[in-house]
Amino acid sequence: MATIEEQIELEHRMVQSGIDRYNKQIKQLSDKKLESKTKHGRTIVAGICDKVSQELASDLEKSKKLRNNKLKLLNGCNTRQVAYLSLITLVDTISRGIPLVATASNIGKQIETQFRLDKWLETDRETATNLINMANKKSDKGFEHKRHGLNFKMNKDGVDIPLWVNSDRINIGVRMIDIIIRTTGIVYVKKEHYKRKTVSYVVATEDTLKWVKGFNDTHETNLPRYAPCIIEPKDWDSFWGGGYHSTFVNEKPFLRVHGL
């Protein structure tokens, strides 16, 4: 017959297995440059998207008075949509430190692709919607895979919606990075000097990295790999604190389970 010590050891393994699963998922998504899909990535984006959107709206209004309007491609845009696309692109690699030009180009591609999709929806909603739904099912493929599929289908169907030139993508991306830095401070631009050139990188601040670590340290224990008790479960004396015996398994409320 199993003992209380063996039950507590089982609960230790349940918690550790949940931690391993949590960190494995973070590593897998980070390696695929999809860090915005992690729990900490989603939390970052949700917490600052409105701030970035509001700052973009302010900049767009100011830029209307300028002869050399570097934001003109965004005139009339959905600022929250643009802010969201910019943030998920930046957060996808926030723990890595990616060259500024590459990051800006990727942000520009995201925004350009969304603009082209919106225009395609206006002219051929059924075909565009079907393609979007197919692309969304491939959530682990990354943006570039979906973008190439979109461009291939649009070219095949003769959809005439012009692409941006790369200098425009980079320009828009740089403007969005500047707005994100000004309004949130989650990243900064770091210059690395080499023999014959200087390269700028978009890098997470120390405060951001500390926050990410603290967030994950807190959340990694939230979902153990639950297993049946090998001894009599602990009595429920309230809606909290029954079932398992150890204090290191998160105390969960009494649950109503269907289908058993």
Side-chain angles (χ1 to χ4, degrees):
M1 180 178 291
T3 66
I4 183 66
E5 289 77 14
E6 289 172 325
Q7 173 64 34
I8 290 176
E9 176 59 29
L10 170 64
E11 293 176 20
H12 268 293
R13 293 198 302 271
M14 286 163 40
V15 173
Q16 187 58 52
S17 182
I19 291 172
D20 293 343
R21 175 178 56 186
Y22 183 92
N23 289 315
K24 180 180 178 182
Q25 183 184 53
I26 290 175
K27 186 178 186 307
Q28 287 175 336
L29 290 170
S30 297
D31 288 347
K32 292 178 180 179
K33 299 181 180 179
L34 294 173
E35 205 168 337
S36 66
K37 295 183 180 296
T38 63
K39 288 184 184 297
H40 68 261
R42 294 197 301 268
T43 302
I44 290 171
V45 173
I48 61 179
C49 191
D50 284 342
K51 287 183 180 179
V52 175
S53 173
Q54 290 165 9
E55 188 70 10
L56 173 59
S58 175
D59 280 13
L60 285 170
E61 189 62 33
K62 294 174 185 175
S63 69
K64 291 178 181 179
K65 303 173 184 178
L66 302 177
R67 179 177 297 179
N68 184 20
N69 183 356
K70 296 184 181 298
L71 289 172
K72 61 183 178 181
L73 285 172
L74 300 184
N75 284 340
C77 73
N78 180 328
T79 57
R80 198 174 195 286
Q81 184 184 69
V82 171
Y84 175 77
L85 292 171
S86 302
L87 285 168
I88 63 169
T89 307
L90 188 146
V91 171
D92 274 338
T93 55
I94 196 168
S95 297
R96 290 171 172 263
I98 302 296
L100 172 64
V101 172
T103 306
S105 179
N106 289 337
I107 289 173
K109 287 176 184 177
Q110 282 271 14
I111 297 169
E112 172 201 28
T113 300
Q114 185 62 53
F115 281 18
R116 297 184 79 221
L117 274 174
D118 289 344
K119 290 182 179 179
W120 193 16
L121 283 165
E122 292 174 3
T123 59
D124 188 354
R125 175 165 290 274
E126 183 177 356
T127 304
T129 300
N130 288 338
L131 183 71
I132 292 169
N133 290 337
M134 288 173 59
N136 286 337
K137 291 178 181 178
K138 302 176 181 179
S139 60
D140 62 335
K141 295 297 184 181
F143 168 71
E144 279 298 327
H145 179 89
K146 297 177 184 179
R147 178 172 176 268
H148 287 310
L150 166 67
N151 289 338
F152 175 81
K153 178 63 175 173
M154 293 180 79
N155 290 335
K156 182 180 177 181
D157 290 1
V159 179
D160 186 21
I161 301 175
L163 290 162
W164 292 358
V165 297
N166 201 44
S167 59
D168 285 338
R169 297 183 190 118
I170 293 171
N171 174 63
I172 292 297
V174 167
R175 301 295 159 184
M176 291 309 303
I177 292 169
D178 176 61
I179 289 172
I180 292 168
I181 291 173
R182 278 190 277 128
T183 56
T184 71
I186 62 170
V187 294
Y188 69 103
V189 175
K190 178 181 179 181
K191 293 185 177 182
E192 295 282 352
H193 301 283
Y194 301 98
K195 287 184 178 180
R196 296 185 178 180
K197 63 179 181 179
T198 299
V199 179
S200 296
Y201 293 86
V202 180
V203 180
T205 64
E206 282 298 318
D207 284 346
T208 299
L209 294 176
K210 286 179 182 177
W211 181 89
V212 170
K213 184 179 186 306
F215 180 95
N216 288 324
D217 286 348
T218 299
H219 287 76
E220 67 183 6
T221 59
N222 282 356
L223 193 59
R225 283 187 180 272
Y226 292 110
C229 291
I230 57 176
I231 64 173
E232 189 73 18
K234 180 182 175 183
D235 288 339
W236 290 89
D237 52 18
S238 68
F239 282 101
W240 299 84
Y244 294 109
H245 293 262
S246 59
T247 57
F248 45 80
V249 174
N250 276 352
E251 292 186 342
K252 300 295 183 185
F254 188 83
L255 302 177
R256 182 179 180 184
V257 180
H258 298 271
L260 295 180

